[in-house]
Amino acid sequence: MPEMSEDDLLAVSQLRSSAMRLARRLRHQRVEESLSPTEMGVLGTLARCGKATPGELARREHVQPPSMTRIIAMLEEKGLVRREPHQEDRRQVVVSSTEQAEEILNESRRRRNAWLAGLAEGLDEEEWERLKAAAPVLYKLANL
C-alpha cells in the first residue's frame, strides 16, 4: 500500500473512531445481561465455527487457556454449553453450544439488527447505498 495522504489518515482515524463507538453502542443492546462480552463472544464463536476444544476457543478468543476453562465452566453451569469427549483424543473435550445458547444469540442478533436498522433509517438514500456497498469491505477488515 502506498504512503497515506492526509485525507487517507483522516479517513482511517474516522473509521477507527466510528467503528469503536458503534461497537460500544451495539454492546449495550444485549439480551442476556448476565453474560459478559467474553462469554457472548465464545457462544458466537461456537455458533460460527461449530464444536471446538477449549484450546481452540482460547486461541480464537485471544485469552489464556486457564481463563477459557473458567469461561466454559461458567457457561456450562448456565446451561449454555456442553462438554463431550473428543472423538480422536480421549484426553480432551469438545465444547458445543446448547439450544438455549442459540436462542440467546438469535435474539441478540435480532435486537442488534433492529437497533442498527433504526439508525439507518436516519440516512438518506445515497448514504444508505454507500453504506450497503461498504458493508462487505468492513466485513473483510473485521475478519483479516
Side-chain angles (χ1 to χ4, degrees):
M1 183 170 185
E3 189 173 324
M4 290 193 165
S5 68
E6 288 295 319
D7 285 346
D8 291 339
L9 291 172
L10 177 60
V12 167
S13 179
Q14 287 177 330
L15 178 60
R16 175 198 45 78
S17 175
S18 301
M20 290 177 67
R21 182 168 168 76
L22 191 57
R24 207 171 22 253
R25 291 178 69 194
L26 275 166
R27 274 193 295 274
H28 290 297
Q29 303 302 312
R30 294 180 10 186
V31 169
E32 182 54 59
E33 293 292 327
S34 69
L35 295 176
S36 72
T38 303
E39 290 170 322
M40 285 295 290
V42 170
L43 294 178
T45 295
L46 289 171
R48 275 188 316 281
C49 303
K51 297 177 182 182
T53 66
E56 291 167 340
L57 285 171
R59 280 189 297 282
R60 288 180 181 150
E61 293 299 309
H62 305 287
V63 298
Q64 294 298 314
S67 296
M68 183 54 66
T69 299
R70 285 190 297 279
I71 293 165
I72 291 168
M74 287 187 285
L75 290 171
E76 188 176 34
E77 189 175 297
K78 294 174 184 177
L80 300 175
V81 299
R82 64 180 145 270
R83 300 177 207 222
E84 303 164 358
H86 194 285
Q87 288 188 345
E88 296 166 13
D89 184 350
R90 294 294 176 183
R91 296 171 296 172
Q92 291 197 50
V93 296
V94 177
V95 180
S96 60
S97 60
T98 64
E99 244 181 68
Q100 182 183 354
E102 291 168 20
E103 289 171 11
I104 289 170
L105 285 172
N106 287 337
E107 179 58 22
S108 178
R109 286 184 193 114
R110 187 204 60 73
R111 180 182 285 184
R112 291 174 187 202
N113 286 347
W115 177 81
L116 199 50
L119 283 184
E121 288 175 359
L123 301 175
D124 64 35
E125 195 170 319
E126 182 184 336
E127 290 170 326
W128 175 239
E129 290 303 319
R130 288 177 22 216
L131 184 59
K132 285 193 318 186
V137 178
L138 292 170
Y139 183 84
K140 180 178 179 178
L141 276 178
N143 291 289
L144 285 178

